[in-house]
Amino acid sequence: MDRLQPGERDSGTELRQVKRGDRGEPSEPSCCLSVSSGKTTLLDAVAGRIGNAGTLLGDVFINGRKIKREKFQDCFSYVLQSDNLLSYLTVEETLTYTAQLALQRHSAEAIRKKVSSVMAELSLTHVAHSVIGGRFFPGISGGERRRVSIASQLLQNPRVILLDEPTTGLDSMTANQIVGLLAELARRNRIVIVTIHQPRSELFRVFSRIAIMSRGELVFCGQPEEMVTFFSQCGYECPEYCNPFDIYVDFTSVDTRNSEREAATFSRMQEIASAYQSSEIYQNIRTSRNLSRDRMGVLMRLSQNLIYGLFVAFFVMRLDIDVTKGAVQDRIGIIYQSIAASPYTGMLNAVALFPALRAIGDQESQDGLYSKWQMFLAYIFHILPFSILSVCVFTSFLYWTVGMNPQTLRFLSFTAVVLVPHIIGELLTVVLLGVVQDPNMVNTGVALLNIAGVLVGSGFLRNTQQMPQVFQWLSYLTFQKYGCELLIVTEFEGLDFTCNVSSNFTGACLITHGNQIIDEGYPGALSRYTLDFFLLYSFLPALLVLGMISYKIRDRLVRH
């Protein structure tokens, strides 16, 4: 790689260490990079994931051969700092699913053997049937999680493995084990490039080549022994019992706390860089099953609507047919709650569960396993059965407990209508999560859209016919309009009410038939029943298409 110009340069120093396995060129070790600043930008540039953050000038070579940009994905495999793994899958299942995506032309038996081989290579066989684990329940250790992330990349059989700070967050013993494992991989005919944050001094001689960068410039690159000799010749000795990593990074860092220190340290860095470029070292160098096992998630999906139904049923208790006892008001209240609250339960599911999957999708799409929009569709089709079951549990309990219109066909219509707002709430949230990174902002946005839809489209706050013309037009863009019309017709059509003539309420007995509610509040709704169903369900494919567009946009927004 000739030259890197990131969009924003850190003034600190980068310490790069490299390990490379024997690929027919024993005289040229390959390597690991350890960097103290700008390391992720460096690896992003090498892997072709610089995105819109900066401009990569020059070319990338592997073993003296120039790599075309479109081939980067086939050449490089990238292990990020964080382990984006599905918590409820076992180690073997995680690797098997990755292998099925990466090795689609291989047979099931070949994939099984490949997974077993990689687990053995990374010492994961003993935890093959253990779940990954997460924040709220135990699983494999941090070091084992990191090895699973590495194993996922090895399954793709890359020419070069890039690892961004694989020891971050690990204790010193586990970090040493990971570095030792990477060194062993490098000796097994693999190219390994690693960034490490503040490595221990005993790791100094583990790496076959070490590089230091400062302010985007290469200050030194060579073997550990050459590094000690070079800095000593420049007049910068490493004191006894000191960590060479820390000392050499200090020597090449630029201190920006004040102008005098910045000028002095920058001059020192330039002096060392010039000495390196004039050295013999420089002349000889070449630069180069989760969701299904999420019991808490499944329980949340199935129980939240039921719990909400319990609250509604508790307040209503039993519907009456006497208008003076709330026969009309209570039914409209249930319809309002069914349409207005269902999107919130769907939204909460997406905000709680999808961001973690989105992170995995971002990483694996960069690895070329699939596109982000495919992850979006896979999530939606996966949650559909749970959504349907959850809504059916809710409507089955609420409908018959409170005593709504006791006809099976009407119950099925009620369930079919309530299902759509619930799915729309989750689907709309996932769509927005494609272009908005912060789940809290999406949460707020979906809530406001739902409130606006209820106000404009339901006709409960104000009769649609009495609203300004612009709001009448806008109501046709809300699913609440069609859902409310359908539920009003489903419940009130042909329903007769009684009236307590001894009531003191003036005009209490003006409503005697359910059709009066329909004709006065939703004129023409009876004739639009089938059309309303069609328009209500048309929101689902429309959001699916919008979601695919959203995640194609995400491909451009998220490059790493």
Side-chain angles (χ1 to χ4, degrees):
M1 186 172 62
D2 296 340
R3 186 177 165 206
L4 172 65
Q5 291 184 338
E8 293 184 4
R9 292 182 175 175
D10 197 318
S11 62
T13 299
E14 300 175 350
L15 173 63
R16 303 184 301 161
Q17 305 181 331
V18 194
K19 288 188 182 115
R20 180 166 157 202
D22 184 359
R23 298 181 64 88
E25 301 174 36
S27 63
E28 294 183 7
S30 89
C31 283
C32 205
L33 294 170
S34 171
V35 189
S36 64
S37 67
K39 50 191 174 293
T40 300
T41 301
L42 175 65
L43 292 192
D44 289 344
V46 172
R49 300 186 182 185
I50 198 70
N52 298 321
T55 302
L56 179 66
L57 302 179
D59 300 304
V60 175
F61 292 81
I62 295 182
N63 293 340
R65 304 178 72 174
K66 180 180 175 181
I67 304 299
K68 295 181 179 179
R69 177 115 184 155
E70 58 269 20
K71 296 293 183 181
F72 277 19
Q73 212 168 63
D74 297 330
C75 294
F76 300 105
S77 195
Y78 202 167
V79 180
L80 303 180
Q81 290 186 32
S82 57
D83 298 312
N84 293 317
L85 302 170
L86 296 174
S87 303
Y88 293 91
L89 295 183
T90 66
V91 170
E92 185 175 41
E93 289 168 341
T94 298
L95 298 178
T96 298
Y97 294 146
T98 300
Q100 288 172 344
L101 289 168
L103 309 173
Q104 296 182 15
R105 297 182 180 179
H106 292 65
S107 65
E109 180 63 19
I111 289 176
R112 186 189 65 79
K113 290 182 178 179
K114 180 68 174 178
V115 170
S116 299
S117 174
V118 169
M119 286 195 298
E121 189 175 15
L122 275 80
S123 303
L124 291 169
T125 305
H126 67 290
V127 292
H129 302 296
S130 301
V131 294
I132 300 297
R135 290 182 298 172
F136 305 112
F137 63 96
I140 59 178
S141 68
E144 288 164 344
R145 286 173 61 90
R146 193 59 49 88
R147 296 207 299 271
V148 172
S149 296
I150 297 171
S152 298
Q153 301 300 323
L154 291 181
L155 286 169
Q156 302 171 46
N157 198 27
R159 301 181 189 179
V160 181
I161 306 171
L162 306 174
L163 302 100
D164 191 9
E165 293 196 26
T167 60
T168 296
L170 303 179
D171 60 84
S172 59
M173 180 177 294
T174 305
N176 285 349
Q177 293 173 350
I178 292 293
V179 173
L181 170 66
L182 295 174
E184 184 63 27
L185 290 176
R187 288 190 286 270
R188 295 179 186 175
N189 207 26
R190 297 182 187 276
I191 299 176
V192 182
I193 302 177
V194 182
T195 68
I196 294 184
H197 182 64
Q198 290 186 321
R200 292 173 56 170
S201 58
E202 55 263 39
L203 298 178
F204 183 69
R205 298 189 184 277
V206 173
F207 301 102
S208 55
R209 190 171 296 276
I210 302 173
I212 299 178
M213 294 185 68
S214 183
R215 291 203 168 183
E217 296 184 21
L218 185 64
V219 178
F220 173 85
C221 183
Q223 298 175 6
E225 296 81 5
E226 295 175 327
M227 188 177 195
V228 175
T229 302
F230 169 76
F231 277 92
S232 297
Q233 291 174 346
C234 291
Y236 302 104
E237 296 278 353
C238 179
E240 192 175 3
Y241 306 121
C242 288
N243 186 346
F245 288 126
D246 293 335
I247 295 298
Y248 297 145
V249 166
D250 287 344
F251 287 154
T252 54
S253 294
V254 177
D255 188 346
T256 59
R257 286 177 294 180
N258 59 65
S259 58
E260 292 80 8
R261 289 293 301 162
E262 182 175 7
T265 53
F266 181 78
S267 176
R268 182 179 63 189
M269 183 271 290
Q270 290 283 6
E271 177 187 337
I272 295 173
S274 298
Y276 167 68
Q277 292 174 7
S278 302
S279 68
E280 185 179 349
I281 302 172
Y282 178 77
Q283 301 302 322
N284 297 329
I285 193 68
R286 274 171 46 183
T287 303
S288 40
R289 288 176 191 195
N290 182 65
L291 283 172
S292 61
R293 287 191 181 171
D294 183 358
R295 292 185 178 88
M296 185 60 67
V298 172
L299 181 62
M300 179 179 70
R301 285 183 178 278
L302 297 181
S303 63
Q304 60 185 358
N305 282 326
L306 176 60
I307 294 172
Y308 179 70
L310 284 170
F311 278 111
V312 176
F314 175 78
F315 278 97
V316 175
M317 297 302 290
R318 190 73 182 175
L319 290 172
D320 206 301
I321 60 171
D322 191 334
V323 292
T324 63
K325 296 181 179 180
V328 175
Q329 179 181 340
D330 291 349
R331 283 173 169 81
I332 291 179
I334 290 177
I335 292 172
Y336 171 81
Q337 293 297 330
S338 299
I339 290 294
S342 290
Y344 287 106
T345 55
M347 174 190 69
L348 293 175
N349 287 332
V351 169
L353 302 175
F354 187 72
L357 299 177
R358 180 182 64 178
I360 295 173
D362 288 343
Q363 177 179 334
E364 293 184 339
S365 65
Q366 291 291 334
D367 294 335
L369 299 183
Y370 50 79
S371 299
K372 292 182 178 65
W373 65 267
Q374 291 175 310
M375 175 67 170
F376 161 73
L377 288 182
Y379 175 83
I380 295 302
F381 290 129
H382 175 82
I383 60 97
L384 274 177
F386 295 101
S387 297
I388 293 171
L389 181 58
S390 174
V391 171
C392 286
V393 169
F394 166 74
T395 57
S396 297
F397 172 80
L398 180 65
Y399 195 93
W400 302 109
T401 300
V402 301
M404 299 184 76
N405 206 316
Q407 294 181 18
T408 302
L409 185 58
R410 292 181 187 246
F411 162 71
L412 294 176
S413 297
F414 181 86
T415 301
V417 172
V418 174
L419 175 63
V420 176
H422 178 76
I423 295 177
I424 287 178
E426 186 158 8
L427 186 52
L428 180 59
T429 304
V430 175
V431 169
L432 292 178
L433 283 170
V435 292
V436 180
Q437 190 67 20
D438 188 355
N440 293 325
M441 291 182 62
V442 174
N443 192 348
T444 303
V446 173
L448 291 175
L449 286 173
N450 187 52
I451 292 171
V454 171
L455 293 177
V456 174
S458 68
F460 292 143
L461 180 66
R462 187 177 185 185
N463 189 294
T464 305
Q465 307 302 315
Q466 304 301 318
M467 289 192 301
Q469 192 70 35
V470 64
F471 290 115
Q472 293 185 37
W473 293 337
L474 288 174
S475 69
Y476 289 98
L477 300 178
T478 67
F479 65 86
Q480 289 90 346
K481 173 181 175 61
Y482 311 107
C484 286
E485 282 193 3
L486 287 167
L487 293 188
I488 288 290
V489 171
T490 299
E491 178 62 21
F492 286 98
E493 183 190 14
L495 187 64
D496 294 326
F497 297 108
T498 61
C499 183
N500 183 1
V501 293
S502 63
S503 172
N504 294 323
F505 294 105
T506 304
C509 298
L510 292 179
I511 299 177
T512 56
H513 301 287
N515 286 44
Q516 292 177 258
I517 303 294
I518 301 172
D519 293 338
E520 293 177 12
Y522 305 88
L526 284 171
S527 62
R528 294 194 299 269
Y529 194 78
T530 302
L531 177 61
D532 282 346
F533 249 113
F534 173 78
L535 293 174
L536 178 64
Y537 270 83
S538 67
F539 279 83
L540 299 182
L543 282 175
L544 281 177
V545 173
L546 190 61
M548 294 174 66
I549 296 173
S550 170
Y551 283 85
K552 285 194 175 289
I553 294 174
R554 186 172 183 81
D555 275 325
R556 296 182 177 273
L557 296 178
V558 179
R559 292 298 184 181
H560 59 274

